[in-house]
Amino acid sequence: MLTRIDHIGIACRDLAEKIAFYQSTFGLTVISEETNAEQGVREAMLMVADAPAGTSYVQLLEPLGSDTPVGRFLARRGEGIHHVGYGVADITAALGAIGATGVRLLDARPRHGSMGAAIAFLHPADVGGVLTELVQSARQP
């Protein structure tokens, strides 16, 4: 069901500063920058690899305010890994199959994600303490 690691989401306080760091340190390329008001973040997707199984990214997340999920995460834990996103071919089928195992779904239905993807989150308490995102890319291989 999971096809690849789509991205690692990293919470940061200063998006421009972290973009510069990832570009200069690792040579990553910014593929997309956008504001997602629904999720309360400004974000950048930096390409790590483009392989036959699909592209993988580092997603940098800067909160739009302290009362957003990423803002609260930064206040509690500081900068660092916020979530892991896994690629799926059919997000609706994946949600049904995973939900049937007893894992709680934070999103019962897919919603809009980065670069036009359909996304949904799983409850971290049911996935070993890791906030887990399912991603059906807008550009399927």
Side-chain angles (χ1 to χ4, degrees), residues 8-139:
I8 303 296
I10 300 176
C12 63
R13 289 186 175 85
D14 185 323
L15 187 63
E17 178 183 296
K18 288 299 179 203
I19 288 171
F21 172 81
Y22 276 85
Q23 288 176 320
S24 65
T25 304
F26 302 115
L28 300 186
T29 303
V30 175
I31 300 301
S32 170
E33 283 189 65
E34 55 189 275
T35 297
N36 187 325
E38 177 186 330
Q39 294 181 33
V41 294
R42 284 182 355 121
E43 62 181 69
M45 295 295 274
L46 291 82
M47 187 169 64
V48 175
D50 196 7
T55 305
S56 60
Y57 305 94
V58 169
Q59 179 185 41
L60 301 174
L61 303 161
E62 176 188 75
L64 294 177
S66 60
D67 61 340
T68 64
V70 173
R72 290 188 294 272
F73 177 92
L74 282 170
R76 281 191 320 273
R77 298 193 177 129
E79 294 185 318
I81 295 176
H82 179 262
H83 69 273
V84 177
Y86 294 97
V88 296
D90 181 336
I91 196 165
T92 303
L95 285 169
I98 293 168
T101 70
V103 171
R104 288 175 285 172
L105 310 175
L106 294 178
D107 296 301
R109 293 183 332 218
R111 57 180 157 139
H112 173 74
S114 302
M115 302 186 304
I119 65 166
F121 285 92
L122 309 178
H123 199 292
D126 296 346
V127 193
V130 177
L131 181 58
T132 302
E133 180 181 5
L134 303 178
V135 179
Q136 182 180 327
S137 175
R139 83 169 199 187

